[in-house]
Every structure is written in structure tokens, then in C-alpha cells.
Amino acid sequence: MSQPIKVAVTGAAGQIGYSLLFRIASGELFGPDTPVHLNLVELPQAVKAAEGTAMELDDCAFPTLAGVDIFDSPETGFDGVNWALLVGSKPRGPGMERNDLIKENGPIFVAQGKALAKGASDVRCVVVGNPCNTNALIAQHNCREVPATRFSAMTMLDENRAKAQLAKKAGVGVGSVSHLPIFGNHSSTMVPNFEVANISGKPLLDSISDRNYLEGEFFTTVQKRGAAIIAARGKSSAASAASACIDHVKAFYNKTPEGQYFSAAVPSDGSCYDVPSGLMFSFPISSNGDGTYEIVKDLEISEYMKGKIAGTRDELLAERDVVKDLLG
Ligand code: NAD
Ligand code: LMR
């Protein structure tokens, strides 16, 4: 067995944490030959609950779990970690938009960015806590010591949701739907670009030609899925979010097969899709499997999609303006 990969998970005692930790510890994320060491990072008042989760992790007897530690501060919890999964923050309630959380959750990512800068030079940081694009932007700006490209925010859940909807509509298994990039913000302006998607290797529009459905029900269902789950469960998505987080880290960790891509919000380099440099924007991404990745820049974008992408970009610019005092 190799050296353990050290993974910090904030909000370890929360809903997502409870689904996520066991899947990391089981070896599913980095493979059966790679041990992991988990740092559970929580608020002081939730440390006791995290202790319960740590007991259960022990009780699973996962051969890949090299150790578990619990921390009540990011400064100690992020020391020497290779991955920091920033989940801990407040979820929205019914009737709220995700960016209504910005004032309350934003400051968390100032402190966590600073803590990463102090203790974790060889780190990849994934932000799940909402509003995740702008929180990732805040963390990255407060951690200039780490290259900006090592920060990302999760839109994999949106891609998974979009694929599931289209698979149902086309009457195929979800594995048949590919090339479905999410552009922009993890919010109700996100853009699931169905125009470039494939079903069983052929253009999706050959199988689903009803544009009224694609531009209407499909778009809105994906954009508002998080709110629909909150309305149904009384709590925000958790198991599906944890599953998407596993998919997200796996997608960055492994080389993306030739011609494929996945969705994640990363800092724009300003060179494509009319998105200003630095904005934490969801793009199609191809991982080189060595810790680096490329933004897939050459997708053909229709005038219809350009308008949608401009809308989600403008929302992110407005969010950036709201948090300008937190951007270090
Ligand atoms: P939860 O309330 O069940 O758990 C949050 C946990 O975070 C709590 O245990 C709390 O003590 C902890 N916490 C709060 N502030 C912290 C801090 N500064 N440091 C460490 N821990 C802290 O919430 P949840 O359902 O697990 O959701 C967590 C976040 O993930 C929410 O913001 C939610 O909106 C977001 N989310 C994002 C996506 C996505 O696709 N990006 C999907 C689902 C949920
Ligand atoms: C989701 O998409 O399910 C999460 O971002 C939670 C939410 O607030 O919608």
C-alpha cells in the first residue's frame, strides 16, 4: 500500500458528511490500493456528533482507512491535507435562493482559505457549501499561496441530474447520455447545454427533437431540482450531493477518456465562452490525470445558449460584487 491520501471534510457531522465519509473511506474514491486518512472538521458544538461518525467509520473496518482525526478548527484540520472538501456551511430553506446564503456562509470560506494557505501546500480544494461558486472564489482569493486552478466548486450534481432527466425522456439507461456540460453558476440560472449532448454516441437532438421540452421543462427541472428536493424532504439533497462529490473528485483525480469531459466550476482563464478571467464558472473539463486539467474550449455554442451563458455569468459577476470585501 502507498502513502495515505489525506482528506479533510468540513461539515463532517452534517447530512452530506454522513453520506460522503464512508464512501471515501471504503476505497471507492481513490481505489482499493490507496489508503486514506480522514480529517473531520466541524464546529466545536458538532464535534461530539463527529465523534459518533468516527466510531462508525472504525466499525466498518475498511482496509483502506488509515486513520480518522477530528478537529474543531480549519487551521489544525487542514494541516498537510491533499484534498479539502469544503461542505460545512448552512443549507438554504424553502423559498430561498442559494445566493441568499452568501452573507452568512461567505465568511466561512475566508477563514478556510487562510487556513489552507497556512497548512496545506499540496492541496486540491472542492467547495460544495452554497453558494458554491462564489464560496470557492472567496476561498481561492484568501489562499494565493496555492495555484488558483486547484480550487473548484461542484456542479457535478447538476450534470448527473440533467443526464437522469434526459435518459428518462429518451427511454435509455443513464449511462447512454454523455457530453452534457453545465455552464455557469450552481443556481437557478445554470445552463445544462443539451445541444452538444449525445445519446448512445449520437446527437441528443436526433432522439429528443422537442425543443419546447428541452428549453422549458428540462431546463427548469434541472435548474430547480435542489428546491424541489427541499420542498419534498424538508431538507436539502444529501446522498446525491455526496455521490456527486465522489464523482467530482474522481473525475479530477483520473485522466478523462479522450473526447469526453465533465462539469465543474473552476477559475475562468478569460479565453472562452465570454467569461471574464478569474470568475469561478462551470465549464466542460478534461483532466490530464496528473493533477492538471484543461477547460474544453471548442464546443460550438448557439445564439440561444450564448444568451443563457451570459445570464448565468452576469449573476456570478453580481455575486462577486456582493462579496468583494471578502476577496482578500
Ligand atoms: P447540514 O446542515 O446537514 O450540515 C452542515 C454541517 O456543517 C453542520 O454539521 C455544521 O456544524 C457544519 N458547519 C457549519 N459551519 C462550519 C464551519 N465553519 N466549519 C466546519 N463545519 C461547519 O448541511 P448539509 O445538508 O450537509 O449541506 C451542507 C452545504 O452543502 C449547504 O451549504 C448546502 O446548501 C450545500 N449543498 C451543495 C450542493 C451542491 O451541489 N453544490 C448540494 C447539496 C448541498
Ligand atoms: C442542491 O442543488 O440540491 C443543493 O445545492 C441544495 C440546494 O440548496 O438546492
Side-chain angles (χ1 to χ4, degrees):
M1 283 234 184
S2 49
Q3 271 289 100
I5 295 182
K6 213 169 174 187
V7 184
V9 177
T10 70
Q15 291 200 91
I16 296 175
Y18 193 71
S19 287
L20 181 60
L21 289 162
F22 296 86
R23 293 186 60 183
I24 303 172
S26 71
E28 178 186 349
L29 184 51
F30 299 117
D33 298 325
T34 307
V36 286
H37 185 106
L38 288 171
N39 280 7
L40 278 45
V41 184
E42 257 298 349
L43 294 175
Q45 62 270 29
V47 159
K48 189 143 188 65
E51 283 168 3
T53 305
M55 287 185 227
E56 287 199 73
L57 282 162
D58 281 347
D59 295 350
C60 290
F62 291 124
T64 41
L65 185 57
V68 183
D69 287 308
I70 301 171
F71 299 91
D72 66 3
S73 86
E75 284 77 20
T76 46
F78 291 168
D79 194 32
V81 297
N82 307 112
W83 287 86
L85 310 183
L86 308 189
V87 178
S89 51
K90 198 175 167 189
R92 66 173 160 158
M96 292 170 74
E97 285 297 327
R98 295 181 187 91
N99 59 16
D100 293 337
L101 296 165
I102 223 165
K103 291 273 184 210
E104 210 166 333
N105 283 345
I108 294 173
F109 297 86
V110 174
Q112 295 187 348
K114 289 188 170 144
L116 281 172
K118 261 197 207 149
S121 54
D122 181 22
V123 67
R124 263 87 194 155
C125 173
V126 180
V127 177
V128 174
N130 278 319
C132 61
N133 296 57
T134 296
N135 288 339
L137 185 78
I138 295 169
Q140 182 256 310
H141 273 252
N142 285 280
C143 184
R144 301 290 193 170
E145 292 75 357
V146 171
T149 50
R150 294 195 183 176
F151 286 79
S152 62
M154 189 175 93
T155 53
M156 184 65 88
L157 179 55
D158 308 306
E159 179 177 327
N160 289 345
R161 287 168 169 167
K163 284 180 169 165
Q165 291 300 315
L166 293 176
K168 267 196 194 160
K169 181 75 177 173
V172 298
V174 75
S176 303
V177 184
S178 67
H179 299 83
L180 186 35
I182 304 294
F183 283 88
N185 200 2
H186 174 62
S187 77
S188 54
T189 65
M190 75 179 76
V191 181
N193 186 350
F194 59 79
E195 289 179 349
V196 295
N198 284 351
I199 292 195
S200 307
K202 300 209 177 77
L204 172 127
L205 293 165
D206 292 355
S207 316
I208 307 175
S209 55
D210 180 357
R211 276 200 78 98
N212 281 339
Y213 161 76
L214 291 166
E215 292 181 16
E217 187 184 333
F218 165 69
F219 239 78
T220 334
T221 300
V222 176
Q223 289 175 327
K224 302 207 161 153
R225 188 67 162 183
I229 289 167
I230 292 168
R233 289 180 87 223
K235 291 187 214 157
S236 67
S237 64
S240 58
S243 193
C245 186
I246 296 284
D247 292 344
H248 174 113
V249 176
K250 258 192 193 168
F252 276 101
Y253 186 67
N254 297 301
K255 185 170 167 48
T256 308
E258 198 61 39
Q260 305 279 325
Y261 47 76
F262 60 93
S263 308
V266 297
S268 169
D269 64 5
S271 73
C272 56
Y273 305 117
D274 214 7
V275 181
S277 181
L279 210 59
M280 202 61 76
F281 198 88
S282 183
F283 290 111
I285 303 289
S286 171
S287 166
N288 298 317
D290 60 1
T292 66
Y293 65 82
E294 316 296 332
I295 297 173
V296 176
K297 298 182 175 175
D298 55 356
L299 298 186
E300 209 169 303
I301 305 292
S302 68
E303 287 307 311
Y304 169 77
M305 285 296 171
K306 272 187 195 158
K308 296 282 179 193
I309 290 173
T312 195
R313 175 201 62 206
D314 292 348
E315 181 184 54
L316 276 169
L317 287 169
E319 284 185 19
R320 185 170 74 177
D321 204 42
V322 171
V323 300
K324 59 179 184 300
D325 294 342
L326 303 181
L327 293 182

